[in-house]
Amino acid sequence: MAAIVSERTVLDVAESGTRAVNSALMAADAPAVVTLANPRGAHALACGLDRDIAVTVEGHVGYYCAGMNQHATVTVEGSAGVGVAENMMSGTVRVRGDASQSAGATAHGGLLVIEGNAGARCGISMKGVDIVVGGNIGHMSAFMGQAGRLVVCGDAGDGLGDSLYEARIYVKGTVKSLGADCVEKPVREEHLAELAELLKAAEIDEDPAAFRRYGSARGLYHFQVDNAGAY
């Protein structure tokens, strides 16, 4: 199943199957650097990793790649399906291509970088993760975002930040529409410094001063009957 190539362990997903590959990655004696060859859009690759390991996937992946990640660094040399880095706790997940909907959903920590575009509901219910998208994002992104930062270097679709709590959103391009209780906020020096740090970590060369900031108006924190139509 495993081959050693120039100090690099290569696991063939098509040959061994997802279950065997994931088990090998989580084994106590697993190597620190692993390449997954021939993923062919397999679902749930590199899920549940909980230690310092660097995994590179040579191709496109399906649903929930790198879900529940802790400590590991996972790089997808292609595009990713629904829910990449879903419920991630820590570590780094990088997608060189595009990501489908719900990227980084419910994630509590770590850094998710999508170098291309992300689909609908990027960062839905995010709980502390940092997400940096090099391109555009789809509708309802950061819906019910509770904590963390979402940085978008392109445009954002409809309903950005709908029902947002305390997550911060930075967008360089245009926003088609803001969701309920999401408003534009001033960009202060602390936010420029925060953006510069996030862009550097994501290895994306953009000027922090070109971004606008969005956050919660905090009007939906407590139920008020006069606002029932907004819930």
Side-chain angles (χ1 to χ4, degrees):
M1 181 182 72
I4 306 297
V5 180
S6 301
E7 309 264 337
R8 187 170 57 106
T9 299
V10 179
L11 304 178
D12 192 311
V13 180
E15 176 185 318
S16 303
T18 302
R19 185 183 295 272
V21 167
N22 283 347
S23 295
L25 292 175
M26 291 187 283
D29 60 348
V33 180
V34 180
T35 296
L36 304 186
N38 300 314
R40 299 182 183 179
H43 303 314
L45 272 180
C47 282
L49 301 179
D50 61 358
R51 65 186 187 84
D52 187 7
I53 180 174
V55 178
T56 299
V57 185
E58 292 184 329
H60 306 305
V61 294
Y63 301 164
Y64 300 114
C65 178
M68 301 177 289
N69 188 63
Q70 294 189 73
H71 308 300
T73 298
V74 180
T75 303
V76 178
E77 300 285 355
S79 294
V82 173
V84 63
E86 185 265 346
N87 206 37
M88 178 167 70
M89 297 294 173
S90 62
T92 301
V93 177
R94 180 181 293 272
V95 179
R96 298 288 188 190
D98 299 324
S100 185
Q101 64 182 347
S102 302
T106 75
H108 289 248
L111 173 65
L112 169 61
V113 180
I114 300 164
E115 296 185 0
N117 302 309
R121 300 176 182 85
C122 177
I124 183 172
S125 195
M126 54 193 289
K127 295 177 171 67
V129 66
D130 290 325
I131 303 175
V132 181
V133 181
N136 306 320
I137 58 172
H139 63 271
M140 297 299 287
S141 289
F143 171 58
M144 291 187 69
Q146 295 160 47
R149 288 85 59 90
L150 171 61
V151 179
V152 183
C153 299
D155 301 328
D158 277 319
L160 177 68
D162 191 273
S163 303
L164 195 70
Y165 287 81
E166 290 303 317
R168 289 180 177 176
I169 304 173
Y170 299 96
V171 181
K172 180 182 178 184
T174 60
V175 175
K176 191 167 184 182
S177 69
L178 295 175
D181 211 39
C182 184
V183 296
E184 184 171 356
K185 295 191 171 185
V187 179
R188 298 187 290 270
E189 288 300 320
E190 65 187 88
H191 305 120
L192 292 174
E194 180 176 73
L195 257 174
E197 180 183 356
L198 288 167
L199 291 166
K200 181 179 179 181
E203 300 175 5
I204 292 179
D205 185 16
E206 292 283 0
D207 179 8
F211 289 76
R212 291 178 293 168
R213 182 171 75 98
Y214 302 89
S216 174
R218 301 184 177 92
L220 298 180
Y221 269 29
H222 304 288
F223 178 79
Q224 298 179 40
V225 68
D226 291 341
N227 296 334
Y231 288 92

